[in-house]
């Protein structure tokens, strides 16, 4: 196992370095760029950007150097190269934001959003698990019953429902209509109230969390419940489930101890591989509900050409995806005694 | 066997198991039945081994499972220790399982991959409140010894064993609750030939030791002949012949039995030379729409007009040799 | 399994209960109550805001005895400012936020309302008429920096040129938010900081044309332009002050990254207390505000929130979590919804025809351009016919729900440069019959297919605009239908913006590679006239950077423009604009369509909200108030 982990960590490192290089090149070769916005600004003489201005700005952002050198500087800094001040990503210098929050360090920028994203994505993940697994089990145990059809219909609804529309409908009903009817209403968005006696309290935050968490978890819940159902159906057909019944094990234990434990094995992979969303956030849900998370930061950085932020975001995402894969493999050895790595 | 009830451990009357076939995407309706088991009558005496043979898909395994109520029968009675298992529900039925167990065909699939051998064998002890804790562990080790496995294997997982060893685990698990009756559902057909004899011998040994009653399901006639006291031959959900094993092998009455026996190679080159094989024409008909009258008439060399109309009665042709054929 | 089912149902019920019945789920109900309180020994009656939560915990004292909540106003914008260092950002939302949190007046001490400038922290704007600004003839030696033909150059020989200087006097009592007195030297410091090439300022147009900017006493600055720079906006050449006492030791390029970039020490009505990155900027009343003695600002707190989604923002407005939705966050699509919401008393929308105006440019010299095209619009009669045949009212009604105004010239009728007597201007009300008559007259005869032709050339033109702009797509469709009715075939083209408006002679814009082009200009205090002069026709000499893509060149118009441009007294300038517009509307190198509409909405509790077409919606943030 230790040998296996060392081997995997080594190959992971290579994958990450290669992907960081590809990400860097793709971002920098794409049309647009951080100064694109400025070139669009000038329609009048007063605000037009001159060629000298452009060159000066490029130099200031370090864009005047050749691409491969820029990558090396980004990765390893330039203090050893030409006496610059940058230490490079691998030595913890993530750089400063160019556009989203000029002058703010990327580390600070990301840490200002990551908490909210972990709360939202984590809540959605938890909600999905709490609902999807029992729903999948029930649907499989009662296969072809009316309940199964109802749960299947729910799953199709969840998978097919566009997030933005569903979110909008929830806001319309639970925030606006409920308020119009004089019922207690949920806040339409944001992470906390800006004024009022409960501002920032746990309950206040919880209320703000409910709708986005439901919207974000809907698709996941629906698809996971289908995975769980089919995995469960697979297991229920197995001889060892019949063996358990023949032993005289009570039905509830046959389902939970014998069937569910085995049916969960493939589901764990799906769940572990979705863990990077705790960092990445959810662009659409965060946007509809004005949730100040990583997804919004990402899309903002993307549209405004804020490369330092984008690069760190994409790099961490890549690392997390690779790490989640390793984690899934390691978790497997714990839950499935048949699997051993060497 | 004048009055089978006197000594019978288990008696099966009119046992039927139909599986519905449904159609439709949202609203499913039943369009037909697979008549897997279509009216069986037989009894097994205490300490006896009844062999049940037939081609694949004739309903042998379904019969075994229906007797143990792993499939709830569509109709019929299964009288075991004075109780009709078909009428038992829930807890009562679960308690009865202590007395009847099953050994499965596939030693790979029938053991839960996430449980240790100790848990697999020990679980029935726990669910039937036979033993717990240390006592349970000792009992499990003893059982492993009985089936010829190293008692230190308790903490291992099934995938660490060979097929024969796994089947021994399956046997130990079935034995754990000290049942009276065990359904052996083709227990050796998934094993290497070299291992088969070991398991057969183990089963015979245990039968003597614990006074077990077996329903031994197999498609291999020679193994059945070796282990069974009496043999029932099934064709398309019905028993066509049931008698003492010697009577069956020496004097088969039903043309289907004859055809089956003619396919068994005889380990004597001279006799084998003369063996006349009866080749059955056509395939086994679908159990969804079995042939009218005698189910076997489509492939029977002795077919008569009557066979196409009337289902032959399962009758005693003398000396407890039961057969269902118009031609006999 | 029944248990699992029960658990599931219980969870569902729980979710609904939490959603519906959570005690604090509702925004606190505000109940107005007349209460007698003792103020300085005299009983007075006072309306007090009581905040009542759905389930007040019994241990808490009654809500009525609580101190009233601070008066808070929430401004919701679609984007987050990238910095609050004014030199470092060109975002509209930064300008909006700075008007509360840093400065007073949109341009830093000077405001721009109704297409004109107002002094805010200055005693007055200098003017040549009043004598506090003057034009002097100066002798220039070869090698001196001068402006010639719009560019900063070294004089090639000795000559005499005009030079402007202006004196700015600041009001008394101006203070920075940390209590330090604001001095004229702070304005000079602001000017000098911007001279640093690494300061982050992207345009140095006015700094390049400044000969000197000095403080002559604690509250007076004098600006002097370089010789030859005759600038109509000389009266705005007051550079925005920066607090020298705070920034003197910080290199200009480091200001953005310093605390000043996110919590500036300013002179506006509010000061930043907390910036939750990505979510909001919180500000409190600036106790050192120079108008504090007038009881300003009226609010205790202002919060600028960033909500990128229009629907979410509208919901927040209705739910009372946002008070003002800014123009960048709302657009004309939302007009029917906003009107409906207004009917239900949920919010108050405002539609102000703004300074951006759409127009269709004709290629008036299609054969002379670098990329020649078939001649369709060099004949003024054809251009006039197109104008008569274009139903601009229909465009306004269908696209902007009738909220805008049709334009006759290149400035709105409310602009100071628009002639008081506009009877001299040619106008083009929708009149398809007249259009057809003009086309017949010009020799374009309707063919069998309904399309006019002349000498074998079909009157079939392509109209180009950038892709992805819905209102423009709608304009083009209406235009296409209008033209079909008078026998003109119109094809639609949506090239990418880099192709249409790119730099250099390869772009469609510069090379005349179009028949008709639809885009917008922004009307400032100075009217849009320059872009239709002969000098602005793109040529190699101008390195293909001229802005007169119509290739229209008219001596009378140029004469009026140079008269206008060379004169710095407004009363005289209006006469020249009248002349210019007379020519422009008759010759019609471009057909003005309408002003784009700025959409704002407020919660009904907001008071004194007075949006203005050329100012930001919160230009009077210090006077905004909320109903109690």
């Amino acid at each position: 196992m230790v040998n296996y982990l060392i081997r995997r960590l080594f190959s992971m490192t290579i994958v990450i370095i290669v992907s960081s290089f590809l990400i860097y090149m793709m971002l920098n070769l794409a049309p647009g760029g951080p100064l694109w916005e400025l070139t669009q600004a000038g329609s009048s003489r007063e605000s037009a950007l001159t060629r000298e201005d452009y060159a000066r700005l490029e130099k200031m952002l370090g864009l005047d150097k050749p691409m491969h050198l820029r990558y090396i500087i980004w990765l390893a800094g330039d203090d050893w190269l030409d006496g610059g001040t940058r230490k490079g990503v691998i030595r913890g210098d993530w750089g400063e934001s160019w556009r989203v929050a000029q002058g703010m360090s990327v580390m600070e920028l990301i840490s200002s959003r990551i908490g909210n994203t972990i709360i939202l994505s984590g809540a959605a993940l938890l909600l999905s698990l709490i609902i999807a697994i029992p729903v999948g089990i029930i649907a499989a145990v009662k296969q072809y019953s009316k309940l199964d059809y109802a749960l299947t219909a729910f799953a199709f609804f969840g998978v097919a429902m566009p997030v933005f529309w569903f979110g909008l409908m929830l806001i319309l009903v639970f925030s606006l209509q409920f308020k119009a009817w004089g019922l207690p209403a949920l806040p339409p968005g944001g992470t906390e109230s800006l004024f009022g006696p409960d501002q920032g309290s746990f309950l206040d935050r919880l209320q703000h969390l409910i709708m986005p968490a439901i919207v974000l978890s809907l698709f996941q819940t629906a698809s996971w419940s289908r995975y769980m159902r089919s995995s469960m159906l697979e297991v229920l057909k197995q001889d060892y489930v019949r063996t358990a019944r023949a032993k005289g094990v009570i039905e509830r234990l046959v389902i939970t101890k014998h069937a569910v434990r085995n049916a969960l094995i493939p589901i764990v992979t799906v769940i572990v591989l979705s863990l990077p969303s705790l960092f990445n956030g959810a662009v659409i849900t965060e946007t509809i509900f004005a949730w100040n998370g990583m997804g919004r930061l990402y899309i903002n950085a993307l549209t405004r050409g804020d490369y330092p932020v984008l690069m760190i975001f994409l790099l961490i995402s890549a690392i997390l995806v690779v790490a989640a894969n390793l984690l899934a493999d390691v978790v497997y050895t714990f839950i499935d005694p048949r699997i051993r790595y060497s | 066997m004048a009055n089978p009830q006197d000594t019978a451990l288990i008696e099966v009357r009119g046992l039927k198991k139909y599986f519905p076939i449904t159609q439709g995407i949202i609203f499913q309706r039943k369009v037909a039945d697979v008549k897997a088991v279509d009216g069986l009558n037989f009894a097994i005496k205490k300490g006896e081994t009844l062999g049940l043979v037939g081609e694949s898909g004739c309903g042998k395994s379904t019969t075994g499972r229906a007797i143990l109520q792993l499939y709830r029968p569509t109709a019929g009675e299964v009288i075991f220790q004075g109780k009709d298992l078909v009428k038992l529900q829930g807890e009562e039925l679960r308690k009865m399982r202590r007395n009847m167990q099953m050994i499965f065909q596939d030693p790979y699939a029938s053991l839960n991959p996430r449980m240790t051998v100790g848990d697999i064998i020990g679980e029935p002890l726990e669910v039937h409140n036979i033993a717990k804790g240390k006592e349970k562990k000792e009992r499990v080790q003893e059982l492993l010894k009985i089936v010829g496995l190293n008692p230190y294997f308790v903490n291992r997982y099934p995938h660490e064993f060979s097929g024969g060893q796994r089947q021994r685990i399956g046997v130990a698990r079935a034995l754990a609750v000290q049942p009276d009756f065990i359904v052996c559902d083709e227990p050796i057909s998934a094993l290497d030939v070299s291992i088969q004899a070991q398991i057969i011998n183990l089963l015979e040994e245990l039968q003597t030791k614990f006074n077990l009653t077996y329903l031994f399901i197999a498609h291999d006639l020679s193994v059945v002949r070796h282990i069974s006291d009496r043999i029932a031959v099934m064709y398309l959900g019905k028993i066509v012949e049931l008698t003492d094993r010697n009577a069956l092998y020496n004097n088969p009455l039903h043309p289907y039995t004859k055809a089956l026996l003619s396919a068994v190679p005889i380990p004597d080159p001279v006799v084998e030379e003369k063996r006349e094989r009866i080749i059955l024409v056509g395939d086994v008909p679908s159990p969804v729409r079995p042939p009218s009258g005698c189910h076997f008439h489509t492939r029977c060399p002795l077919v008569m007009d009557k066979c196409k109309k009337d289902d032959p009665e399962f009758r005693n042709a003398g000396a407890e040799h039961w057969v269902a054929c118009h031609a006999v | 399994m029944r248990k699992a089912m029960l658990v599931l149902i219980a969870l569902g019920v729980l979710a609904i209960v939490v959603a519906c019945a959570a005690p604090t789920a509702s925004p606190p109900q505000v109940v107005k109550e007349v209460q007698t309180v003792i103020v300085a020994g005299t009983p007075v009656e006072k309306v007090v805001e009581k905040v009542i939560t759905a389930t007040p915990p019994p241990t808490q004292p009654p809500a009525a005895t609580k101190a009233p909540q601070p008066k808070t106003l929430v401004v919701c914008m679609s984007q987050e400012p990238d910095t609050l260092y004014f030199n470092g950002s060109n975002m509209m939302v930064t300008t909006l936020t700075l008007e509360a949190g840093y400065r007073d007046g949109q341009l830093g001490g000077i405001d721009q309302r109704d297409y004109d400038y107002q002094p805010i922290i200055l005693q007055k704007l200098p003017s040549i008429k009043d004598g506090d600004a003057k034009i002097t003839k100066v002798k220039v030696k070869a090698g001196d920096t001068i402006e010639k033909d719009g560019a900063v150059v070294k004089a090639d020989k000795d000559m005499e040129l005009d030079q402007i200087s202006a004196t700015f006097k600041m009001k008394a009592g101006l203070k920075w938010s940390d209590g330090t007195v604001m001095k004229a030297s702070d304005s000079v410091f602001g000017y000098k900081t911007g001279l640093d090439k690494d300061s982050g300022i992207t345009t140095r147009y006015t700094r390049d044309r400044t000969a000197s900017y000095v403080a002559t006493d604690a509250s007076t600055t004098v600006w002097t332009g370089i010789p030859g720079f005759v600038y109509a906006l000389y009266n705005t050449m007051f550079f925005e002050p920066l607090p020298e006492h705070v920034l003197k030791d910080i290199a200009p390029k480091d200001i953005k990254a310093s605390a000043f970039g996110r919590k500036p020490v300013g002179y506006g009505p509010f000061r930043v207390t907390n910036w939750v990155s990505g979510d909001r900027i919180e500000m409190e009343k600036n106790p050192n505000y120079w108008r504090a003695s007038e009881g300003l600002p009226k609010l205790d707190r202002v919060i600028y929130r960033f909500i990128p989604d229009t629907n979410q923002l509208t919901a927040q407005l209705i739910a009372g979590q946002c008070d003002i939705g800014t123009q960048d966050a709302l657009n004309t699509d939302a007009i029917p919804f906003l009107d409906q919401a207004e009917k239900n008393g949920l919010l108050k929308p405002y539609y102000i025809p703004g300074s951006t105006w759409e127009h269709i440019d004709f290629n008036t010299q299609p054969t002379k351009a670098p990329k020649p095209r078939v001649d369709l619009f060099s004949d003024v009669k054809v251009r006039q016919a197109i104008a008569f045949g274009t139903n601009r009212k229909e465009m306004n009604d269908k696209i902007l729900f009738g909220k805008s105004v049709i334009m006759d010239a290149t400035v709105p009728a409310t602009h100071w440069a628009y002639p008081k007597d506009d009877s001299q201007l040619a106008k083009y009300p929708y009149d398809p019959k007249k259009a057809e008559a003009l086309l017949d007259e010009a020799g374009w005869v309707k063919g069998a297919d309904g399309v006019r032709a002349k000498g074998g050339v079909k009157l079939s033109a392509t109209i180009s605009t950038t892709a992805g702009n819905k209102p423009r797509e709608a304009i083009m469709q209406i235009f296409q239908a209008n033209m079909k009715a008078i026998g003109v075939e119109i094809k639609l083209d949506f090239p990418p913006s880099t192709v249409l408006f790119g730099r250099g002679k390869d772009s469609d814009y510069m090379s005349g590679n179009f028949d008709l082009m639809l885009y917008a200009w922004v009307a400032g205090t100075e009217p849009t006239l320059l872009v239709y002069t002969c000098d602005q026709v793109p040529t190699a000499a101008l390195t293909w950077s001229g802005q007169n893509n119509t290739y229209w060149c008219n001596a009378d118009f140029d004469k009026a423009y140079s008269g206008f441009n060379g004169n710095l007294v407004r009363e005289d300038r209006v006469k020249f604009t009248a002349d210019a517009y007379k020519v422009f509307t008759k010759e019609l190198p471009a057909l003005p369509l309408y002003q784009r509409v700025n959409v704002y909405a407020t919660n009904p509790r907001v008071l004194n909200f007075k949006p203005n077409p050329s100012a930001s919606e919160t230009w009077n943030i210090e006077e905004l108030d909320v109903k109690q």
Side-chain angles (χ1 to χ4, degrees), chain A residues 144 149 238-240 242-250 257-258 261-262 264-265 335-338, chain B residues 26 28 65 70-71 94 97 101 104 106 109-115 120 123-124 127-128 157 159 173:
Chain A
Y144 299 142
Y149 288 127
Q238 294 290 321
D239 280 2
Y240 57 77
R242 195 179 301 122
T243 307
R245 293 213 178 94
K247 277 179 188 175
V249 177
I250 55 173
K257 194 171 160 192
H258 290 263
R261 279 184 59 191
N262 281 290
L264 277 176
I265 294 174
I335 58 171
D336 191 341
R338 285 168 296 188
Chain B
I26 295 169
Q28 300 208 329
R65 289 168 190 174
L70 292 175
Y71 293 152
R94 198 177 70 78
R97 296 204 181 280
Q101 284 292 318
F104 291 94
D106 186 348
S110 61
L111 301 176
N112 189 333
R114 286 187 68 179
M115 289 171 82
I120 290 170
E123 191 180 33
V127 299
H128 292 293
Y157 286 94
H159 69 274
R173 192 216 75 238

Side-chain angles (χ1 to χ4, degrees), chain C residues 175-360:
Chain C
K175 275 186 198 161
W176 293 101
S177 59
D178 62 1
T180 313
V181 173
M182 182 196 280
K183 290 180 290 216
S185 57
D186 288 323
S187 176
V188 176
F189 180 73
Y191 162 73
K192 284 185 174 156
T193 304
L195 287 178
D196 188 305
K197 298 209 166 185
D198 291 328
S199 64
I201 294 180
T202 53
T203 170
R204 292 185 319 282
Y205 180 84
T206 50
R207 281 184 173 83
D208 286 347
R209 286 159 181 77
T210 298
S212 71
Y213 186 66
V214 292
T216 52
D217 65 40
S219 62
T220 311
T221 64
V222 176
W223 173 79
T224 312
I226 58 174
F229 182 48
V230 181
Y231 191 44
L233 303 185
Y234 67 89
N235 59 351
T236 63
M237 293 312 298
F238 174 77
F239 287 90
E240 173 146 37
L242 270 176
E244 187 172 13
H245 65 286
V246 176
L247 297 175
K248 61 175 183 281
D249 295 327
I250 300 176
K253 72 175 167 60
D254 295 332
I255 294 180
K256 267 189 271 191
S258 75
F260 190 82
R262 295 179 76 80
K263 273 190 196 178
V265 173
Y267 55 99
F270 297 91
R271 61 184 181 191
V272 177
T273 53
N274 185 24
W275 184 337
V276 181
S277 176
D279 193 57
R280 63 183 184 271
I281 298 173
E282 294 171 10
M283 300 180 198
E284 62 175 14
K285 185 186 265 199
N286 172 9
N288 295 311
Y289 184 49
W290 65 281
R291 292 172 75 188
S293 59
E294 300 169 50
L296 295 175
K298 291 185 176 167
L299 296 160
D300 297 305
R301 289 207 303 160
V302 185
I303 300 173
Y304 284 77
R305 282 184 80 185
F306 327 128
I307 300 179
D309 184 63
T310 306
N311 295 316
Q312 168 66 223
L313 191 135
T314 320
Q316 296 268 10
L317 275 170
I318 292 174
Q321 296 285 316
C322 281
D323 291 310
I324 296 173
T326 60
Q327 54 174 305
D328 58 295
L330 296 168
N331 57 52
T332 45
D333 290 350
I335 289 175
F337 174 80
L338 293 174
D339 282 345
Q340 184 62 38
E342 184 185 20
K343 257 181 223 155
N344 297 336
L346 298 170
L347 44 78
K348 173 91 188 78
Y350 295 83
Y351 312 110
I352 309 292
S355 52
T356 307
W357 54 281
E358 301 282 352
H359 55 94
I360 294 173

Side-chain angles (χ1 to χ4, degrees), chain A residues 36-53 56-57 60 96 98-104 108-109 112-113 116 130-131 134-135 137-138 141-142 147 151 168 171-172 174-176 178-179 183-199 201 203-204 206-208 210 214 252 255-256 286-292 296 300 304, chain C residues 1-5 8 11 15 18-28 51 53 66 69 72-74 79-83 88-91 147 150 196-206 231 233 253 256-257 262 275-280 282 301 303 305-309 311-312 314-316 318-321 323 337 497-498 503 521-522 530 536 547 561 565 605:
Chain A
W36 183 84
E37 199 174 287
L38 294 174
T39 65
Q40 296 300 299
S43 61
S44 70
R45 285 191 298 183
E46 282 85 346
S47 61
L49 204 64
T50 66
R51 220 160 256 139
E52 297 82 67
D53 288 331
R56 193 166 40 77
L57 284 170
M60 208 167 116
E96 282 178 4
W98 287 347
R99 300 250 131 244
V100 172
Q102 289 189 47
M104 197 189 231
E108 200 184 332
L109 197 56
S112 69
R113 312 289 212 279
N116 285 332
I130 291 172
I131 297 172
V135 161
I137 294 169
I138 293 167
V141 170
K142 310 255 176 198
L147 186 61
L151 292 174
L168 203 59
I171 293 171
L172 210 59
F174 291 104
S175 297
L176 304 186
F178 269 43
K179 189 169 183 258
L183 293 168
L186 280 172
T191 49
E192 59 182 342
S193 297
L194 299 183
F195 38 76
D198 303 312
Q199 183 192 342
S201 72
L203 251 179
D204 177 49
L206 188 67
Q207 285 165 26
H208 283 81
I210 292 170
I214 289 175
R252 187 172 59 82
I255 300 297
T256 53
E286 287 179 5
T287 306
I288 328 169
F289 287 101
W291 190 269
N292 185 23
R296 256 175 73 190
N300 200 355
R304 308 203 58 206
Chain C
M1 265 8 268
R2 195 160 292 161
K3 263 191 191 165
M5 199 47 220
L8 191 73
L11 273 173
V18 171
C20 311
T24 46
S26 60
V51 178
T53 55
K66 270 191 183 171
Q69 289 276 320
T72 306
L73 180 92
V74 184
Q79 284 179 301
E80 177 179 17
D82 44 1
T83 174
S89 177
N90 55 357
M91 292 179 82
E147 191 193 57
D196 188 305
K197 298 209 166 185
D198 291 328
S199 64
I201 294 180
T202 53
T203 170
R204 292 185 319 282
Y205 180 84
T206 50
Y231 191 44
L233 303 185
K253 72 175 167 60
K256 267 189 271 191
R262 295 179 76 80
W275 184 337
V276 181
S277 176
D279 193 57
R280 63 183 184 271
E282 294 171 10
R301 289 207 303 160
I303 300 173
R305 282 184 80 185
F306 327 128
I307 300 179
D309 184 63
N311 295 316
Q312 168 66 223
T314 320
Q316 296 268 10
I318 292 174
Q321 296 285 316
D323 291 310
F337 174 80
S497 110
T498 47
R503 284 152 184 273
W521 285 121
V522 180
L530 172 77
Q536 286 291 315
Q547 292 180 307
Y561 174 73
N565 198 40
R605 74 188 190 117

Side-chain angles (χ1 to χ4, degrees), chain C residues 304-447:
Chain C
Y304 284 77
R305 282 184 80 185
F306 327 128
I307 300 179
D309 184 63
T310 306
N311 295 316
Q312 168 66 223
L313 191 135
T314 320
Q316 296 268 10
L317 275 170
I318 292 174
Q321 296 285 316
C322 281
D323 291 310
I324 296 173
T326 60
Q327 54 174 305
D328 58 295
L330 296 168
N331 57 52
T332 45
D333 290 350
I335 289 175
F337 174 80
L338 293 174
D339 282 345
Q340 184 62 38
E342 184 185 20
K343 257 181 223 155
N344 297 336
L346 298 170
L347 44 78
K348 173 91 188 78
Y350 295 83
Y351 312 110
I352 309 292
S355 52
T356 307
W357 54 281
E358 301 282 352
H359 55 94
I360 294 173
D361 278 3
F362 295 99
N363 189 344
T364 62
Q365 295 191 45
T367 49
K368 286 189 186 171
K371 290 186 182 169
R373 295 180 68 100
V374 177
D375 184 358
L376 300 174
F377 301 114
S378 66
D379 185 346
V380 66
K381 280 191 182 134
V382 179
R383 301 202 292 268
Q384 287 173 340
I386 302 283
F388 278 119
T390 303
N391 193 344
R392 293 179 285 172
K393 187 177 178 301
E394 186 190 357
M395 291 175 183
N396 180 22
D397 289 348
K398 283 208 175 137
I399 300 160
L400 299 176
F401 304 91
K403 306 289 184 191
S404 189
V405 182
I406 307 300
M407 304 245 299
D408 294 316
T410 70
V411 288
T414 51
H415 197 282
W416 63 265
Y418 189 82
K420 293 240 158 39
D421 170 22
D422 64 354
S423 57
Q424 296 290 303
L425 271 51
K427 292 189 183 159
Y428 300 92
Y430 182 51
D431 190 345
K433 282 207 181 98
K434 203 162 182 180
E436 301 222 48
L438 277 164
L439 287 172
D440 289 340
E441 214 177 295
W444 294 93
V445 188
K446 242 182 203 171

Side-chain angles (χ1 to χ4, degrees), chain C residues 550-598:
Chain C
T550 65
Y551 278 72
W552 179 69
C553 181
N554 183 293
D556 291 338
F557 183 84
D558 276 18
K559 199 178 146 208
Y561 174 73
S562 60
F564 166 83
N565 198 40
N567 198 310
L568 299 180
V569 180
R570 182 165 291 176
E571 288 73 14
D572 302 331
R573 304 181 87 202
V574 183
K575 289 172 198 149
F576 290 110
T577 59
D579 292 345
Y581 286 133
K582 200 172 135 191
V583 181
F584 179 87
T585 54
K586 190 174 156 282
E587 284 282 321
L588 216 63
L591 173 65
L593 298 176
Y594 57 68
Q595 289 170 265
R596 274 199 213 155
V597 168
N598 296 338

